[in-house]
Amino acid sequence: MPALEGAASPFKGHLVEIALAGDRLEAKGRCYTAMAQMLGPRSVIERLAQLFLNLGDLYGRKEAGARIIERRITHDEIAALIGSTRQWVTMMLKRFQADGIVAVDKASIRILHPERLTAIVQAAA
């Protein structure tokens, strides 16, 4: 049986690669599903709230009830993701910040009250 054990060893690395590729594919599938749901028949404010929830789920870390997304994303990029304009995104981010829902700086987005974003999204449902 030692010959069989030796024959299987070249495949071990490939099995790990296949498993990792499957994980990446599953993550992409979740991302595309979330985007399809987000771009459905929702208002732009609902799509913005959903985007922040999705980013928090995918990239955020929990800290004292908040979600911290340590990724740089421009207003132009957000606008492209939700099908809006940069000016509208800037205006809504200021409103979300004034309402204490999020805090945005150049390095991160802090979702201070994810439950309020969820309420915005669920109000349309």
Side-chain angles (χ1 to χ4, degrees):
M1 290 291 183
L4 289 177
E5 290 174 9
S9 64
F11 298 108
K12 287 181 183 177
H14 294 293
L15 293 175
V16 170
E17 288 176 23
I18 291 169
L20 291 174
D23 289 345
R24 288 190 299 266
L25 186 59
E26 181 183 343
K28 276 188 176 185
R30 284 194 311 265
C31 182
Y32 289 136
T33 299
M35 287 189 70
Q37 290 172 345
M38 184 178 69
L39 291 174
R42 294 185 175 180
S43 72
V44 181
I45 193 166
E46 292 160 351
R47 293 193 305 255
L48 180 61
Q50 185 66 61
L51 175 66
F52 282 154
L53 290 171
N54 291 348
L55 290 174
D57 288 343
L58 290 170
Y59 303 110
R61 65 177 167 76
K62 291 182 181 179
E63 182 180 290
R67 286 270 184 170
I68 313 304
I69 304 163
E70 293 177 334
R71 296 206 180 249
R72 217 170 152 224
I73 185 166
T74 67
H75 293 192
D76 281 325
E77 292 168 330
I78 292 170
L81 287 168
I82 64 171
S84 184
T85 64
R86 183 202 50 80
Q87 293 85 352
W88 188 91
V89 168
T90 300
M91 183 178 67
M92 291 312 303
L93 286 176
K94 285 180 182 176
R95 184 166 135 192
F96 278 4
Q97 289 184 91
D99 292 345
I101 299 172
V102 300
V104 180
D105 60 36
K106 292 183 189 245
S108 66
I109 299 170
R110 300 174 69 86
I111 302 173
L112 305 172
H113 293 282
E115 72 281 357
R116 292 180 63 190
L117 292 175
T118 300
I120 291 169
V121 172
Q122 290 178 344

